[in-house]
Amino acid sequence: LFRRPPRPRRASDTFPRAPPRRTESRALAARAARVTRTLRVRSFRSRGDRSVDFPGTMTETTVRGIKGMKTVMDMPVMQDGPPPGGYPSVRYARRIPSTGPTGLAFFGAYLGAMVYGFYQVGQGNARRRGLKEEKLNARAVLIPFLQAEEDRRYVASVKERQKSEDKIMAGVPGWKSGDQGAVYNTTWLPPQHTYAPKMI
Amino acid sequence: ARGSLSERAVVSTRSREEPRGEEARAEKRRRATMSAAATGEETSATSSVLFSVHKHLQSKCASRSAAYLACKKNDKNPEACLREGNAVTACMADLLGDLKSKCPKELNAYAECMDYRSNTFDKCRREQAAFEEKCPL
């Protein structure tokens, strides 16, 4: 599930070194290199540019020349150059280590988190179901008590209504107050009061 | 008690036709001056009190409730089941009186909590535990 970091590489990916100078003689090239080394300093004078002391009087050859040189190409260069042995190599290669958890490990973590999450959701649902059941059970228990109260009130109200109707229709011959005959024969339903009378 | 719609008791709506006339107004005035117990009107507990004691009601008044519901199933006419209804109410009244004498403070605390929390059981577990410890089911 985990990958170890890779072993460190050798410093082989460096800038290409300076191309070899085109000289015929190796000894001459070596002498030139030696001279070049000594000339690698900052100021012109300390670089060996003696022409500074003799302005306008010396050629490049007298200033920079060495014994046995045949062409200008054999002259040691007077330039700011690299230190002996060259500069240390610059690492430009990418080193992106593939360490740490693998993709499978990540997927496993996601899966575990989701499983845990869904389990918690289920637990919460079960708990809420229990609360709902408690509430509904309480309501079911209380229904008979409330209905009995309402029954008494309803019967009393029907009696009051009938009495009032009797009083109102006392003079009318053959008037029978109250609901005359049940409309429904199999089950009892309260009389339909219309709060919004409409013309059907 | 829970079942199909045909088995449930029908809770009729309050009648809007209140009896009008001189007699009714006189009766109303008389009732206003007298106390509730004197006029013979029943005083019932509020919803929070009923929800607080519903477990006790379930255990103590189960038989009478069942009888009332059976009568209702047989005939839904209110006039037919007045006797069973009165028995049910009497059981409730007895129970409430009993609880008020034995553990008034705990019952009051629980009922007040339920009233404050709009009859949510989950919010009053502490008061419920104290009440049921003092007056067990």
Side-chain angles (χ1 to χ4, degrees):
Chain A
L1 285 166
F2 282 88
R3 295 199 204 94
R4 266 183 272 160
R7 262 180 271 143
R9 314 256 170 174
R10 289 197 194 131
S12 57
D13 47 349
T14 62
F15 279 117
R17 293 189 187 280
R21 291 163 48 74
R22 286 185 287 121
T23 49
E24 284 168 18
S25 159
R26 245 189 234 178
L28 210 57
R31 196 194 284 180
R34 263 183 278 123
V35 174
T36 305
R37 250 179 281 142
T38 59
L39 290 178
R40 186 185 160 268
V41 284
R42 289 216 177 260
S43 70
F44 278 110
R45 183 126 205 285
S46 51
R47 273 187 205 169
D49 186 0
R50 297 191 296 281
S51 68
V52 176
D53 299 330
F54 314 95
T57 54
M58 289 194 155
T59 63
E60 202 65 26
T61 316
T62 50
V63 170
R64 279 204 290 143
I66 50 171
K67 250 177 48 173
M69 68 176 247
K70 292 196 178 56
T71 64
V72 184
M73 295 295 289
D74 298 337
M75 277 204 297
V77 289
M78 199 155 29
Q79 59 180 195
D80 189 11
Y87 288 113
S89 23
V90 173
R91 181 178 78 76
Y92 62 88
R94 292 192 336 163
R95 303 263 173 90
I96 301 173
S98 46
T99 65
T102 59
L104 191 68
F106 275 114
F107 275 122
Y110 302 149
L111 193 72
M114 285 190 70
V115 164
Y116 174 71
F118 275 114
Y119 169 74
Q120 287 292 306
V121 165
Q123 298 276 289
N125 287 345
R127 181 163 187 275
R128 284 197 293 121
R129 220 182 306 127
L131 294 175
K132 185 87 178 183
E133 193 201 328
E134 186 185 15
K135 185 161 76 165
L136 294 180
N137 181 49
R139 286 183 188 169
V141 162
L142 293 176
I143 276 181
F145 303 93
L146 302 169
Q147 186 65 58
E149 209 176 298
E150 173 61 21
D151 282 355
R152 286 192 291 274
R153 186 212 64 79
Y154 179 80
V155 164
S157 127
V158 162
K159 283 209 178 85
E160 281 281 339
R161 229 185 296 148
Q162 192 147 13
K163 247 179 29 182
S164 159
E165 199 180 334
D166 281 336
K167 211 160 97 17
I168 290 165
M169 308 301 280
V172 178
W175 182 268
K176 294 205 189 93
S177 58
D179 294 326
Q180 298 306 313
V183 179
Y184 305 99
N185 295 317
T186 48
T187 181
W188 181 88
L189 282 171
Q192 301 294 316
H193 295 282
T194 318
Y195 298 125
K198 290 178 191 142
M199 295 223 289
I200 301 169
Chain B
R2 282 178 288 165
S4 59
L5 187 62
S6 59
E7 288 170 24
R8 280 208 208 115
V10 175
V11 181
S12 63
T13 55
R14 202 164 268 280
S15 158
R16 289 254 169 132
E17 297 172 6
E18 279 181 10
R20 293 190 188 86
E22 277 293 328
E23 270 190 19
R25 264 179 268 147
E27 183 75 12
K28 255 192 170 172
R29 253 178 273 129
R30 188 175 68 83
R31 281 188 184 184
T33 51
M34 294 165 77
S35 67
T39 52
E41 273 177 8
E42 52 186 303
T43 52
S44 188
T46 54
S47 68
S48 34
V49 176
L50 286 176
F51 275 117
S52 310
V53 303
H54 84 272
K55 281 193 181 157
H56 295 82
L57 285 170
Q58 194 174 21
S59 62
K60 297 262 165 55
C61 308
S63 55
R64 297 198 199 184
S65 288
Y68 174 76
L69 288 171
C71 167
K72 267 284 178 184
K73 186 174 176 178
N74 183 34
D75 183 9
K76 293 216 181 85
N77 195 352
E79 292 169 18
C81 300
L82 283 175
R83 192 157 53 96
E84 286 84 352
N86 288 336
V88 152
T89 312
C91 178
M92 179 177 84
D94 289 340
L95 176 72
L96 281 173
D98 191 37
L99 289 174
K100 274 181 195 169
S101 64
K102 281 191 190 159
C103 45
K105 286 207 184 89
E106 285 77 10
L107 171 60
N108 211 28
Y110 189 25
E112 273 183 6
C113 177
M114 288 294 261
D115 184 48
Y116 185 69
R117 302 289 186 183
S118 61
N119 300 330
T120 310
F121 287 107
D122 208 32
K123 307 249 180 187
C124 295
R125 291 295 180 204
R126 225 183 296 169
E127 286 84 355
Q128 183 187 9
F131 171 58
E132 279 175 15
E133 198 193 332
K134 192 79 194 290
C135 288
L137 290 164

